[in-house]
Amino acid sequence: MTKQILILQGDGIGPEIMAEAVKVLNLANQKFDLGFELSSGELGGASYDKYGVPLADETLERARKADAVLLGAVGGPNWDTIDPALRPERGLLKIRSELGLFGNLRPAILYPQLADSSTLKPEVVSGLDILIVRELTGGIYFGQPREKRVLENGERQAYDTLPYSESEIRRIAKVGFDMAMVRNKKLCSVDKANVLASSQLWREVVEEVAKDYPDVELSHMYVDNCAMQLVRAPKQFDVIVTDNMFGDILSDQASMLTGSIGMLPSASLDVNGKGMYEPCHGSAPDIAGQGIANPLATILSVSMMLRYSFAQTKAADAIEQAVSLVLDQGLRTGDIYSEGCRKVGTVEMGDAVAEALKNL
Ligand code: IPM
Ligand code: MG
């Protein structure tokens, strides 16, 4: 049976990195006889330019019907001055929310070949393999009310709301524990329970869920301490589960442990495991169109898609192996470049991964 994959390349470097990911996906499709059918649509600024909104109803409908969605990145200065409700990022948040993609998996793995690319000492990061499980459809990103207003005295004021319900916390905690069970049975829940009511409930519910996972060693950590520990001794972590905003910040931070945010893929899953896959990095408008962006995070997102949405473990492993082989060959985009390596552009990197995959 054919499987439908919707490709949303987005803005900035989105089209460039997606072209390479699609190259690798098409090849995997042939090589492993996956029966995928690809189609494409717009999201973010590209959608705003075409439809006047960052996510058109028709695109959302197609995303609902697809078996998986592969996304590049959204946003850029072209849309900085438009109505904030129509900004590219709103399209991304809407598709995550409408598809119910609450479970965001952000693995930070240091490829041994890149130990020198990290800004941290090799001994601090070598062998690093952590997974951040970020709640993606709740918390301060979506909480109501939120408002920017002018007070009676003429002063401007703005506020956001950070709500979490028990069921939202329980389902993301379960994802955290399930992931811990198939890894090293160690889970760290990150919150700010010394200050925030929502975090106090978070901690309570995580403790309750823990009763169903007696084999997992659970710890709790305040987010400020976690930020510090991530750069001090990141290998103490295995799986981290946290809320939407803390997960946004900590995953960017964790990415730098791996050499570059250009290496980090992600999966965003609903209750049934249907998913959208995207690199953790943004649309990098400063380097868009120059052919120098690192396509590996998007290529690795394809691998996550094969693993999580389609249980195609062999094909997923092969893509990861191809990436590793290319790094062995010393090929590096600018963001992961270190002395003695060969600096390549986006297309050359994508071609090399495709070639390595072909020969596996
Ligand atoms: C991410 C991004 C998004 C987020 C932005 C683009 C809305 O930073 O996926 O981490 O904050 O979730
Ligand atoms: Mg982010």
Side-chain angles (χ1 to χ4, degrees):
M1 223 179 72
T2 65
K3 300 274 181 201
Q4 304 295 329
I5 300 185
L6 179 64
I7 308 282
L8 305 170
Q9 56 182 20
D11 313 316
I13 57 170
E16 297 162 63
I17 52 175
M18 189 57 84
E20 302 317 306
V22 166
K23 199 180 277 172
V24 173
L25 175 56
N26 280 332
L27 191 68
N29 196 11
Q30 271 172 22
K31 189 176 165 91
F32 296 94
D33 202 10
L34 303 174
F36 290 160
E37 243 172 54
L38 277 52
S39 66
S40 60
E42 284 77 26
L43 183 73
S47 170
Y48 176 83
D49 291 346
K50 188 165 170 188
Y51 302 104
V53 286
L55 172 64
D57 290 345
E58 112 186 29
T59 312
L60 180 58
E61 233 10 77
R62 290 174 57 207
R64 275 192 218 287
K65 289 197 184 117
D67 295 291
V69 179
L70 186 64
L71 169 66
V74 300
N78 287 0
W79 306 281
D80 271 353
T81 52
I82 64 172
D83 175 356
L86 297 175
R87 280 182 70 106
E89 291 80 0
R90 307 287 338 159
L92 177 59
L93 298 181
K94 185 170 173 189
I95 197 169
R96 287 174 178 170
S97 163
E98 288 286 331
L99 297 185
L101 306 173
F102 71 95
N104 185 215
L105 311 181
R106 300 192 157 190
I109 296 169
L110 178 79
Y111 279 83
Q113 303 92 325
L114 298 184
D116 291 331
S117 307
S118 174
T119 47
L120 275 81
K121 293 192 192 110
E123 64 266 28
V124 174
V125 291
S126 70
L128 183 87
D129 180 352
I130 62 184
L131 175 68
I132 296 184
V133 177
R134 171 187 176 195
E135 199 291 323
L136 202 62
T137 52
I140 201 164
Y141 272 55
F142 296 93
Q144 293 294 340
R146 52 191 286 155
E147 193 185 1
K148 210 161 100 193
R149 62 182 178 179
V150 181
L151 297 176
E152 270 173 23
N153 67 4
E155 191 179 19
R156 285 170 299 163
Q157 190 198 48
Y159 60 90
D160 298 278
T161 306
L162 200 178
Y164 266 113
S165 63
E166 192 176 346
S167 54
E168 285 176 305
I169 302 168
R170 185 162 291 120
R171 66 182 184 179
I172 193 68
K174 279 187 183 154
V175 176
F177 280 104
D178 286 341
M179 288 293 143
M181 282 302 285
V182 294
R183 291 171 52 104
N184 294 315
K185 301 195 170 61
K186 238 176 84 180
L187 178 67
C188 179
S189 170
V190 173
D191 62 36
K192 190 69 186 172
N194 50 347
V195 177
L196 302 175
S198 56
S199 279
Q200 285 151 17
L201 180 64
W202 180 281
R203 205 173 267 221
E204 264 171 53
V205 176
V206 171
E207 282 290 342
E208 287 162 20
V209 176
K211 297 201 180 95
D212 295 332
Y213 296 88
D215 294 341
V216 175
E217 181 197 321
L218 171 69
S219 60
H220 300 277
M221 198 179 269
Y222 297 138
V223 62
D224 48 349
N225 184 23
C226 180
M228 187 263 279
Q229 297 295 342
L230 267 176
V231 283
R232 192 187 71 85
K235 283 186 271 181
Q236 70 184 281
F237 297 106
D238 187 49
V239 182
I240 290 175
V241 64
T242 191
D243 86 356
N244 202 342
M245 185 163 65
F246 297 156
D248 179 45
I249 299 165
L250 294 177
S251 60
D252 262 35
Q253 192 184 347
S255 74
M256 276 319 291
L257 306 171
T258 72
S260 165
I261 196 166
M263 294 299 298
L264 250 73
S266 80
S268 307
L269 306 172
D270 76 0
V271 276
N272 304 312
K274 173 170 168 174
M276 181 165 85
Y277 300 83
E278 54 179 308
C280 289
H281 61 70
S283 59
D286 53 323
I287 58 163
Q290 296 178 29
I292 58 171
N294 185 350
L296 293 181
T298 318
I299 290 172
L300 291 169
S301 298
V302 170
S303 161
M304 284 190 94
M305 177 175 88
L306 298 179
R307 200 179 296 288
Y308 289 102
S309 279
F310 303 111
Q312 292 286 353
T313 313
K314 237 174 89 185
D317 287 347
I319 292 177
E320 283 166 20
Q321 207 185 331
V323 167
S324 191
L325 284 170
V326 166
L327 294 175
D328 282 341
Q329 293 160 16
L331 269 61
R332 303 281 189 273
T333 42
D335 58 313
I336 49 174
Y337 179 77
S338 60
E339 234 181 78
C341 294
R342 187 152 75 79
K343 202 181 263 186
V344 297
T346 313
V347 174
E348 204 176 338
M349 187 59 113
D351 283 344
V353 175
E355 190 59 31
L357 179 62
K358 209 181 284 173
N359 297 328
L360 271 178

